[in-house]
Amino acid sequence: MTITRRQLLQSSAFAAMTPALGAAASLAPLDAAQAQAGEDPAWRHALSLFGDVKYPVDFKRFDYVNPDAPRGGQVRFSPAGTFDNFNPVVAGVKGALGVGISYVYETLTTGSLDEASTEYGLLAESVKHPADYSWVIYRLRPEAKWHDGVPVTPADVIFSLDAFKKNHPRYSAYYQHVVRAEVVGERDIKFTFDGPGNRELPQIVGQLMVLPKHWWEGTDSSGQKRDIAATTLEAPLGSGPYRIKEFVPGRTIVLQRVNDCWARNLNVNVGRYNFDELRFDYVRDSLVALEAFKGDQSDWRTENSAKNWATAYDFPARKDQRVVVEEFDNRSSGVMQAFVPNGRRDLFKDVRVRRALNLAFDFEEMNKQLFFNQYKRISSYFDGTELASSGLPQGMELEILESVRADVPAEVFTAEYTNPVGGSTEAVRRNLLEAQKLMKEAGYEIRDRKLVNASSGAPAAIELLADADDPAFERVALFYKPSLERVGFTLTVRKVDSVQFENRIRNWDFDMVIHSWPESLSPGNEQREFWGSKAASMVGSQNWAGIQNPAVDKLIDRVIFAKNRDELVAATRALDRVLLWNHYVVPQWNYPKQRTARWDRFSRPAQLPKYGMAAFPDIWWWDAAKAAKTGGRS
C-alpha cells in the first residue's frame, strides 16, 4: 500500500491499493532558460520532484511489471463495514463510499512505483507550466474515452474540479489555490493559481479524479435527473480499467475489467489490471473478515493486528502451504497514529493536560502484553521517513525555526523530543507522579475522589469514541484506562456504528479518538488540512486534533513553498518538531512492513517495485496452476 497525497484525500477504503503519485513538479533547467528568454515552456510527458524522470517519453512499460502476465480470474476481498454511495464527490461528507471506486475512474496523471515521486500522463498525454508555477496546462489524449464511447473532454475536467470544490470541504481546501480553469485548445485545459511559487500545484491538479459531465447532467433509468451533490447507488460511468458489474447495497460490489478500455495498452498500464473481476463482500467487522479469509471466502488479507499476526494464522491451510503469509517492506510512506484528544474541548486546551495524557500511556507494557513486542513507539509525525526530526535542530532547519522562535515551546531548541518510557513499576510510578503534578499546575484538584477543574468544577472526564466495526482498538483503550484513572481522569469507551462515527467526527463531536495520518515522502498542501488553523473549523477536514497555531501555519507554508528537496526536508523536520513539542496527540506505534496473507492462487513479477510494498492486486495475476493445487476454486 503506497501512500500518496491522492489516497490521503480519497475516502474509499480500497483507494489505498491504487498506485503511487508524487507530490511536486520540479523545474527542469530547460524551463528556466525558456522563462528567461520569454519563451513558452516545453511540453513534457512526466513531472518529478527529484529532477530527471526515469522513463523517457517513448517508454513502453514500467520495469517492474510483467508485460506477458495472463489475464483472468477473480480476487475476493472482505472489507469491514458497509456502503451506501458510489459518488466520490461527496464521499466522507455524505454516506459511505463503496470500495474500489478509484478503479472505475481515471486521473490526469499516474505514478510509477519505482520512483519516489514521479507522475506520468494518463488521461493527459502531456503537461507544461512556467518557471514560477503560476499556471499549468494539461493536454488530454485524443483516444481517452468513457465506457460509453464518448470522448473525455476539457469540459469533463472543469466540471470535475468544480464539483469537488463546491461539494466537498476537504477538496475545496485542497484545490483552493486554483482560481481559474479554462479551455485553451481542443484538448487543453489551463489551470491558473492564486500566486506563484507553490511548486506542487501543477501536480495537485494532475491528481484530479475526472468525472463524465454528460452522464452526471443526464437522467437515470427512472428518468430522474442525477445530482452530483447527492449520494447514489447507481453504478457510475467511468473511464478506468474496471466498471461495476453488479452489487447488493451495503453487502457486495463486483468490479469487472473493461476489456476494450481505451487505456488497456497505454505504457503506464501494460502488465497491470490483470484480473477479470475484483469482488468485495462486506462483513460486520475485522474479526469476521479474518474468519472469512480462513474459511476461503476471501483471497487476500492485509493484517493490521499484531495479535492476529502472531496467533491467528496457525490453521490447516497455512500448515499445508495453501495459504502464504508474507511481509513487504514499506519504503514509501510514514505515519502518525495516535490517541487524539479534541483540542476544541476546554479540557485539552492546556498543553500540560495533553502532556499528562502521554505520561499515563505505558506503551512498553502494552507492547509486551498485547502486541508480542512487534511494534516500536512513534516519535515523529513523519515516522519511518527521512523527514522525521531527531536530535537538536541544526543548519537550515534551525534557521527556519528561528523565524517562529517566539511562538513555539522553548524545548524545540533545547531538547530532543522523546516519549515517556514505561515498562517497569518504577518508570510507570515516576511518569504518573509527573502527570499528576502537571494536572495540578493546570488547575485541577481532587474533590470527592474525582479530578476536577478547581475553578469551574468540571470533571476531567474523557469519552473515547470508537468505531464498532474495528473492535481491535477496544482492548487498547481498556489497557489505557487504568493508567488514566490513576492520574485522576475518568475514561469511558463509546462504540458506535460506522455511520454514527463518521457523523460525529465530521462535526467534531468527540473527546478523544484513535486516528492515523499517513504521510507521503513529499509532503505539501495536504499539511494545511492535517494541522492548519483554518482546517480546525472546516467540516470533514483531517485536523481532528483541532490545532490552531500560527507558528504551525507558517511552517506549513515553508513546506509548501520549499524551493528544493533540502529545504523541503528541513522545513518538514521543523514542522514535525513544533507539532511534537505542543503534545497535540499521544503517539502510538508503527510497524515498518505490510503484513499480508493470501490463498496461493496468484503470481507476481520477480522483482517488486521499491515503493510499492505488495502492489496487490495491480501487478499480480491469476495463476491457474497454483489455483488447481490450492483447491476450492476453479
Side-chain angles (χ1 to χ4, degrees), residues 81 284-285 463-471 474 493-505 509-510 512-513:
R284 185 177 69 250
D285 55 42
E463 179 187 82
L464 197 156
L465 186 67
D467 189 338
D469 289 337
D470 191 0
E474 182 178 8
V493 180
R494 170 77 167 170
K495 295 194 297 182
V496 297
D497 63 41
S498 294
V499 174
Q500 292 183 65
F501 184 83
E502 289 294 333
N503 285 333
R504 289 189 60 176
I505 293 298
D509 182 19
F510 65 90
M512 181 183 287
V513 290

Side-chain angles (χ1 to χ4, degrees), residues 321-504:
Q321 300 182 344
R322 290 182 295 142
V323 164
V324 178
V325 296
E326 187 172 5
E327 294 182 325
F328 299 91
D329 290 331
N330 178 6
R331 305 184 185 95
S332 61
S333 64
V335 69
M336 167 55 81
Q337 178 176 294
F339 295 103
V340 185
N342 186 352
R344 304 165 188 82
R345 298 280 202 257
D346 288 339
L347 174 62
F348 303 124
K349 289 180 179 178
D350 193 310
V351 67
R352 292 168 294 191
V353 175
R354 301 194 300 267
R355 171 66 174 164
L357 295 174
N358 199 358
L359 285 160
F361 181 44
D362 186 0
F363 164 75
E364 287 72 21
E365 188 64 24
M366 179 182 287
N367 195 28
K368 182 175 69 174
Q369 289 193 26
L370 302 186
F371 304 143
F372 299 83
N373 282 321
Q374 291 184 38
Y375 292 124
K376 72 174 186 67
R377 186 85 190 270
I378 286 175
S379 58
S380 166
Y381 281 75
F382 303 87
D383 194 76
T385 74
E386 67 167 333
L387 303 164
S389 60
S390 62
L392 295 179
Q394 299 178 2
M396 189 184 301
E397 181 188 352
L398 179 58
E399 293 175 14
I400 292 171
L401 286 168
E402 288 289 355
S403 68
V404 294
R405 179 183 278 271
D407 299 316
V408 302
E411 294 92 339
V412 166
F413 297 92
T414 61
E416 179 179 15
Y417 176 86
T418 57
N419 287 302
V421 177
S424 68
T425 302
E426 295 79 8
V428 169
R429 182 174 183 275
R430 183 170 57 249
N431 290 339
L432 293 178
L433 287 173
E434 177 65 17
Q436 291 169 344
K437 176 183 175 184
L438 287 171
M439 293 302 295
K440 184 175 181 180
E441 292 175 359
Y444 287 81
E445 63 182 22
I446 301 294
R447 294 180 188 171
D448 298 327
R449 299 182 181 180
K450 293 182 179 180
L451 186 66
V452 300
N453 185 292
S455 299
S456 67
I462 303 171
E463 179 187 82
L464 197 156
L465 186 67
D467 189 338
D469 289 337
D470 191 0
F473 275 118
E474 182 178 8
R475 63 195 186 106
V476 170
L478 294 178
F479 186 95
Y480 193 18
K481 178 181 171 74
S483 295
L484 286 172
E485 290 176 342
R486 288 178 67 182
V487 176
F489 293 101
T490 300
L491 179 72
T492 57
V493 180
R494 170 77 167 170
K495 295 194 297 182
V496 297
D497 63 41
S498 294
V499 174
Q500 292 183 65
F501 184 83
E502 289 294 333
N503 285 333
R504 289 189 60 176

Side-chain angles (χ1 to χ4, degrees), residues 2-9 18-22 333 519-520:
T2 300
I3 299 299
T4 69
R5 188 166 291 103
R6 177 196 299 172
Q7 293 163 13
L8 305 184
L9 295 174
T18 60
L21 281 175
S333 64
E519 292 284 3
S520 74

